[in-house]
């Protein structure tokens, strides 16, 4: 390699991809800002991630070009940022670009003053435009420094304003009517035929689906439940789902879930395992069970480190072509399947429906196994055996191909989402392998990412931890540990969740606003701190914390946690009706507070068996706890009886007389 820059020492695969660019890239650090100030040199911040297609394009066109690099090196201190490692830096500069009236996206390229305050930015730029812009900005700074300072100050004020929460002007009472109004407006955007949000592209939004499943169940809203089932069914049969190897791609570029953007992210798959597990509990759709089993197998096979850590993502591209690893030509399929080819081609639409480009086909389905079996005179069992053999044969054939790039860093927040997915899958199916995978991952996190005082690291790779964790890491890990406590009964996970909660209150909580900052307090930081409140593909860190506090209030009987959760929710209630899709996880908390919600405490030497039976049902409105011995946990305290197994059904800490029969307990959980 003719060039090597400072990124050669990075652990992020995205940064390492740029380590041999002729650009003098450096990784983000506060020290670089000091250096830029000393040299009075503008900063160029370029942000992306390993699975980002247009990031690769811009690298190839511009950052690998020596002439372009010469312009960048002459005028700027050049900083490369992996947005998955530094979501705070990404949020700050993304806010700036949006305030400038530009479209946000990745790669995100920003030019900032030597102190880090942005003055210009955008996303992908073709090479000539990029060089022209760089020269113009450099000349502008040289000739009109005071103008640049003035603009930076105005923009910084704007960023500051959007980063902080306005006061709650009037408290909107929590009510089911509020939820209903929000969902009724949301229904106008439902695609009842194909599922998901009407139009293209289509993203699987697990936070939204999870809320709508709970909402539809509580309110007996068949339109919402049908929409959720249709969405999950169409996704599972579409090209967005890897029909051969399991797991979901990031999104579909069309309105029928056919052509995916082929990268696979851990955070999507972890959350979708949760949603499909819950949906199976409610709808009893066998296809949903298949999705859960295949997706967990995919994650274990392709995204799991032997230590128990989960990697971040798989690239969309292999051999420089998007989707090459996943699509098939007819001759390739015929070679693998031989006399079974015709039946296979009908099942997976190797026809006009599945045709993509360059004689390649995306495998997808358009009917149920029952309908297909009937059409071809097969029993359901015969068909399922055939499909299993086809998938096995194609997976074997595909394994000989050049694999897509793997982003093998481990992020605490994304691992927490996968850990939670495994606990939800265990609840639904009782498969001990799912629980042992969950415990293996939780043990890894405990041993590698949590310090003695409760401080977390955000990232891990090859036994090396880096970057102080963000609120997202703490909130999602607390949620995952509480979920693991519910299914394992091991109070160690509850104790760790408590320790993390204490740390978050000490280092992230704003007493006045009664919300949690995204970054730990640091008055000298270049980046403006913010309150993350809008749910997106991943739920907002504050909405997760509010739900966590509600759970911990019920487990420990701490009313101050409930009061804080309610105060946090007040910031959202006035927005929920108009924009429920951005506040779905807050909507989940609103459901818990306005519809019947139960705690179930199972105590006795056979309590694990009883709770496993109970948890198989669909109970989004229940918090579970069990113990096989005496416990000091408030919800379980003084309830253990050596001679018999007792099931307590409680509401807000007030419990009915215990029962011993699972069916009798289940009747008490009815919300009708």
């Amino acid at each position: 390699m003719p060039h090597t820059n400072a990124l050669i020492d990075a652990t992020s695969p995205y940064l390492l991809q740029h380590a041999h660019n002729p650009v003098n890239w450096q990784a983000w650090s506060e020290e670089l800002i000091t250096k830029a100030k000393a040299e009075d040199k503008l900063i160029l911040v370029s942000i992306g991630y390993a699975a980002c297609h247009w990031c690769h394009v811009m690298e190839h066109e511009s950052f690998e070009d020596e002439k372009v690099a010469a312009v960048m090196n002459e005028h700027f201190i050049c900083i490369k940022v992996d947005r998955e490692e530094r979501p705070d830096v990404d949020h700050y500069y993304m806010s700036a670009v949006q305030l400038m009236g530009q479209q946000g996206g990745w790669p995100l390229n920003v030019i900032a003053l030597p102190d880090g305050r942005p003055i210009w930015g955008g996303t992908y730029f073709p090479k000539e435009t990029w060089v022209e812009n760089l020269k113009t900005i450099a000349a502008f700074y040289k000739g009109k420094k005071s103008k640049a300072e003035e603009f930076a100050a105005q923009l910084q004020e704007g960023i500051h304003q959007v980063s902080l929460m306005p006061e709650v002007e009037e408290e909107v009472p929590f009510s089911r009517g509020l939820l209903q109004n929000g969902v009724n407006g949301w229904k106008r955007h439902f695609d009842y035929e194909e599922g998901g949000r009407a139009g293209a592209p289509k993203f699987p939004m697990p936070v939204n689906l999870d809320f709508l499943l709970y909402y539809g169940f509580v309110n007996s809203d068949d339109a919402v439940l049908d929409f959720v089932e249709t969405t999950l069914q169409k996704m599972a049969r579409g090209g967005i789902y890897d029909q051969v190897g399991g797991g979901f791609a990031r999104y579909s570029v069309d309105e029928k879930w056919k052509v995916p953007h082929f990268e696979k992210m851990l955070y999507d798959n972890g959350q979708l395992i949760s949603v499909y597990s819950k949906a199976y509990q409610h709808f009893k759709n066998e296809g949903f069970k298949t999705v859960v089993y295949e997706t967990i197998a995919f994650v274990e096979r392709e995204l799991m480190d032997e230590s128990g850590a989960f990697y971040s993502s798989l690239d969309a591209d292999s051999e420089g072509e998007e989707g090459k690893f996943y699509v098939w030509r007819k001759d390739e399929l015929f070679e693998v399947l031989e006399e079974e080819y015709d039946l296979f081609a009908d099942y997976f639409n190797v026809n006009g429906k599945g045709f993509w480009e360059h004689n390649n086909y995306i495998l997808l389905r358009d009917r149920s196994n029952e309908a297909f079996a009937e059409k071809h005179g097969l029993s359901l069992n015969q068909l399922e055996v055939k499909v299993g053999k086809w998938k096995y044969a194609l997976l074997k054939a595909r394994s000989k191909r050049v694999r897509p790039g793997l982003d093998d860093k481990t992020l605490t927040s994304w691992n927490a989402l996968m850990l939670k997915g495994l606990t939800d899958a265990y609840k639904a199916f009782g498969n001990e392998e799912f629980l042992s995978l969950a415990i293996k991952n939780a043990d890894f996190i405990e041993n590698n990412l949590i310090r003695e005082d409760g401080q977390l690291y955000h990232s891990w790779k090859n036994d090396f931890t880096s970057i102080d964790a963000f609120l997202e890491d703490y909130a999602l890990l607390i949620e995952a540990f509480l979920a693991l406590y519910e299914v394992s009964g091991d109070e160690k996970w509850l104790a760790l969740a408590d320790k993390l909660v204490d740390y978050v209150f000490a280092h992230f909580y704003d007493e006045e606003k009664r919300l949690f900052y995204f970054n730990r307090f640091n008055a000298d930081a270049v980046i403006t701190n913010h309150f993350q409140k809008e749910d997106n593909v991943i739920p907002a860190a504050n909405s997760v914390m509010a739900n966590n506090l509600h759970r911990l209030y019920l487990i420990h009987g701490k009313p101050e946690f409930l009061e804080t959760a309610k105060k946090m929710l007040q910031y959202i209630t006035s927005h929920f009706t108009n924009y429920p899709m951005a506040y779905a996880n807050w909507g989940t908390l609103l459901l818990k507070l306005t519809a019947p919600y139960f705690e179930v405490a199972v105590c006795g030497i056979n309590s694990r068996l009883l709770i496993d039976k109970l948890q198989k049902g669909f109970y989004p409105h229940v918090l579970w706890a069990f113990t096989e011995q005496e416990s000091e946990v408030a919800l379980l305290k003084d309830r253990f009886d050596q001679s018999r197994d007792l099931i307590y059904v409680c509401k807000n800490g007030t419990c009915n007389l215990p029962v011993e029969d699972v069916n009798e307990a289940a009747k008490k959980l009815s919300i009708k």
Side-chain angles (χ1 to χ4, degrees):
M1 291 280 184
H3 300 283
T4 302
N5 57 47
L7 299 184
I8 198 69
D9 298 321
T11 53
S12 154
Y14 176 67
L15 298 188
L16 288 168
Q17 282 167 12
H18 296 77
H20 296 290
N21 295 167
V23 178
N24 295 332
W25 292 121
Q26 302 190 65
W28 175 271
S29 74
E30 304 274 334
E31 290 76 33
L32 277 180
I33 310 294
T34 310
K35 181 176 187 272
K37 284 187 201 164
E39 294 177 15
D40 191 25
K41 204 167 179 181
L42 289 172
I43 293 170
L44 189 158
V45 183
S46 182
I47 304 172
Y49 56 101
C52 161
H53 176 70
W54 285 101
C55 300
H56 301 328
V57 174
M58 192 160 175
E59 180 194 10
H60 183 61
E61 287 179 355
S62 294
F63 305 151
E64 290 175 355
D65 185 300
E66 303 212 4
K67 287 179 181 165
V68 178
V71 175
M72 292 170 69
N73 295 335
E74 181 188 349
H75 297 293
F76 305 96
I77 285 180
C78 300
I79 300 178
K80 250 291 161 209
V81 176
D82 179 340
R83 71 175 289 254
E84 295 166 358
E85 279 197 330
R86 293 304 303 249
D88 56 333
V89 175
D90 179 56
H91 178 272
Y92 175 69
Y93 288 115
M94 182 65 80
S95 301
V97 167
Q98 288 168 341
L99 284 169
M100 292 177 209
Q102 301 293 317
Q103 180 74 36
W106 297 278
L108 184 67
N109 294 293
V110 176
I111 291 173
L113 295 182
D115 62 6
R117 288 178 299 157
I119 55 170
W120 176 89
T123 57
Y124 163 78
F125 294 94
K127 181 161 77 173
E128 288 72 23
T129 315
W130 176 241
V131 173
E132 206 177 297
N133 283 330
L134 295 183
K135 288 177 175 173
T136 305
I137 307 282
F140 174 74
Y141 181 65
K142 228 170 227 165
K144 298 185 175 170
K145 206 171 276 192
S146 61
K147 278 262 185 239
E149 282 282 348
E150 199 180 305
F151 180 68
Q154 286 173 353
L155 193 56
Q156 182 63 19
E157 181 54 33
I159 295 169
H160 189 67
Q161 290 305 320
V162 297
S163 298
L164 298 175
M165 295 293 290
E167 295 302 322
V168 177
E169 284 174 24
E170 73 173 294
E171 296 207 350
V172 177
F174 304 147
S175 71
R176 289 175 81 167
L178 183 72
L179 282 161
Q180 214 161 351
N181 291 339
V183 173
N184 286 344
W186 193 351
K187 285 177 181 175
R188 292 196 290 273
H189 303 285
F190 287 1
D191 182 340
Y192 288 99
E193 284 296 305
E194 298 297 331
R197 190 183 171 98
K202 271 189 166 34
F203 285 82
M205 298 296 283
V207 183
N208 292 355
L209 292 170
D210 192 61
F211 163 73
L212 289 169
L213 181 60
Y214 182 6
Y215 174 90
F217 168 77
V218 165
N219 291 287
S220 304
D221 189 326
D222 290 337
V224 168
L225 290 171
D226 290 348
F227 166 73
V228 171
E229 187 173 22
T230 298
T231 301
L232 293 173
Q233 192 138 285
K234 294 281 186 171
M235 278 167 49
R237 292 179 185 172
I240 191 172
Y241 182 67
D242 179 354
Q243 300 293 338
V244 170
F248 290 87
R250 183 72 279 273
Y251 63 92
S252 151
V253 301
D254 59 283
E255 72 282 355
K256 290 184 181 284
W257 306 104
K258 174 185 171 179
V259 181
H261 204 314
F262 287 90
E263 70 265 35
K264 286 172 157 181
M265 315 300 291
L266 180 67
Y267 61 79
D268 284 320
N269 285 287
Q271 291 180 97
L272 287 166
I273 288 165
S274 281
V275 174
Y276 274 92
S277 296
K278 292 175 187 178
Y280 174 80
Q281 288 173 312
H282 184 64
F283 298 112
K284 294 290 182 271
N285 182 320
E286 285 297 316
F288 295 171
K289 179 178 182 178
T290 303
V291 165
V292 172
Y293 274 71
E294 289 182 348
T295 302
I296 291 174
F298 149 68
V299 172
E300 190 179 2
R301 185 179 66 243
E302 298 183 44
L303 290 178
M304 194 170 188
D305 185 80
E306 59 189 19
S307 65
F310 295 115
Y311 302 137
S312 294
S313 63
L314 286 171
D315 211 327
D317 305 2
S318 52
E319 300 182 82
E321 282 182 43
E322 190 188 354
K324 187 171 183 180
F325 185 73
Y326 299 103
V327 295
W328 300 86
R329 293 192 319 273
K330 283 184 176 180
D331 59 322
E332 292 174 314
L333 291 168
F334 191 78
E335 197 180 316
V336 176
L337 298 157
E338 298 173 339
E339 71 275 6
E340 292 275 293
Y341 172 79
D342 288 340
L343 192 62
F344 173 93
D346 191 30
Y347 186 81
F348 281 120
N349 288 287
V350 186
N351 52 33
K353 194 172 273 190
F355 183 77
W356 182 36
E357 57 184 28
H358 312 309
N359 291 323
N360 284 313
Y361 291 82
I362 292 169
L363 303 183
L364 50 93
R365 296 171 52 209
D366 58 0
R367 71 202 102 163
S368 69
N369 277 354
E370 288 79 2
F372 187 87
E374 191 179 330
K375 176 186 171 185
H376 290 278
L378 296 165
S379 73
L380 195 56
N381 185 51
Q382 283 173 319
L383 175 64
E384 284 167 357
V385 169
K386 280 183 184 293
V387 172
K389 284 180 177 169
W390 296 339
K391 288 180 178 180
Y392 178 76
L394 289 181
L395 199 57
K396 202 171 168 187
R398 197 171 78 176
S399 69
K400 299 184 178 101
R401 295 179 177 180
V402 176
R403 303 189 68 75
L406 169 69
D407 187 330
D408 61 352
K409 69 177 179 294
T410 288
L411 299 176
T412 302
S413 49
W414 297 8
N415 272 249
L417 290 168
M418 186 63 206
L419 173 53
K420 169 85 166 37
L422 289 166
T423 66
D424 285 331
Y426 176 72
K427 265 186 193 168
F429 306 109
N431 185 317
E432 290 295 333
E433 280 178 38
F434 299 164
L435 183 58
S436 62
L437 272 180
I439 290 169
K440 186 176 182 182
N441 179 246
D443 284 338
F444 161 81
I445 292 169
E446 181 192 10
N447 296 329
N448 294 278
L449 291 163
I450 306 177
R451 291 185 7 181
E452 196 54 47
D453 63 351
Q455 188 184 341
L456 277 179
Y457 289 104
H458 175 60
S459 185
W460 177 92
K461 186 180 165 182
N462 299 339
D463 290 330
F464 181 75
T465 47
S466 60
I467 305 167
D468 287 345
F470 306 99
L471 180 64
E472 177 178 281
D473 298 296
Y474 289 92
L476 290 169
L477 188 55
I478 291 162
E479 178 184 56
F481 280 165
L482 292 177
L484 187 54
Y485 166 64
E486 278 195 299
V487 294
S488 70
D490 188 342
E491 290 180 13
K492 173 173 86 166
W493 306 119
L494 178 59
L496 275 171
D498 289 338
K499 181 187 265 195
L500 295 173
V501 168
D502 290 344
Y503 191 90
V504 168
F505 269 108
H507 298 277
F508 291 80
Y509 187 57
D510 184 316
E511 291 279 357
E512 190 188 333
K513 292 280 188 186
R514 302 184 86 160
L515 282 169
F516 297 89
Y517 281 105
F518 190 74
N519 286 49
R520 214 167 45 150
F521 303 135
N522 176 3
D524 302 322
V526 173
I527 301 301
T528 300
N529 214 338
H530 71 287
F531 298 113
Q532 191 188 60
K533 62 189 187 299
E534 289 192 2
D535 298 315
N536 203 308
V537 174
I538 293 176
N542 270 296
S543 75
V544 179
M545 271 312 295
N547 275 284
N548 288 340
L549 291 174
H550 176 255
R551 290 179 101 67
L552 287 162
Y553 146 69
L554 294 171
I555 293 169
H556 292 310
K558 288 188 173 176
E560 63 272 24
F561 281 177
L562 178 63
E563 191 195 336
T564 302
K566 285 179 170 177
K567 288 287 181 195
M568 294 169 77
L569 187 54
Q570 272 301 341
Y571 284 100
I572 304 309
T573 44
S574 60
H575 306 292
F576 186 85
T577 302
N578 296 327
Y579 203 28
M581 59 287 283
Y583 301 106
N585 198 44
W586 294 100
T588 294
L589 178 59
L590 204 43
L591 275 171
K592 291 173 185 173
L593 295 174
T594 56
Y597 195 82
F598 301 94
E599 310 95 71
V600 171
V602 186
C603 305
I605 51 175
N606 299 304
S607 55
R608 181 185 296 271
L609 294 171
L610 298 182
I611 204 154
D612 280 355
K613 283 180 189 167
L614 278 165
Q615 286 181 345
K616 279 193 173 56
F618 182 60
Y619 297 112
H621 59 305
V622 173
L623 172 117
W624 308 97
F626 75 96
T627 186
E628 296 166 306
Q629 58 193 25
E630 292 286 355
S631 172
E632 290 303 306
V633 174
L635 183 55
L636 302 168
K637 194 172 165 60
D638 300 329
R639 294 198 164 134
F640 179 79
D641 186 327
Q642 191 71 45
S643 61
R644 57 196 181 132
D645 302 304
L646 299 172
I647 305 169
Y648 292 85
V649 176
C650 319
K651 276 175 91 169
N652 287 324
T654 305
C655 302
N656 294 326
L657 287 171
V659 296
E660 297 181 47
D661 179 64
V662 167
N663 295 326
E664 205 179 327
K667 279 183 200 147
K668 291 179 182 292
L669 299 175
S670 170
I671 50 172
K672 302 293 180 271

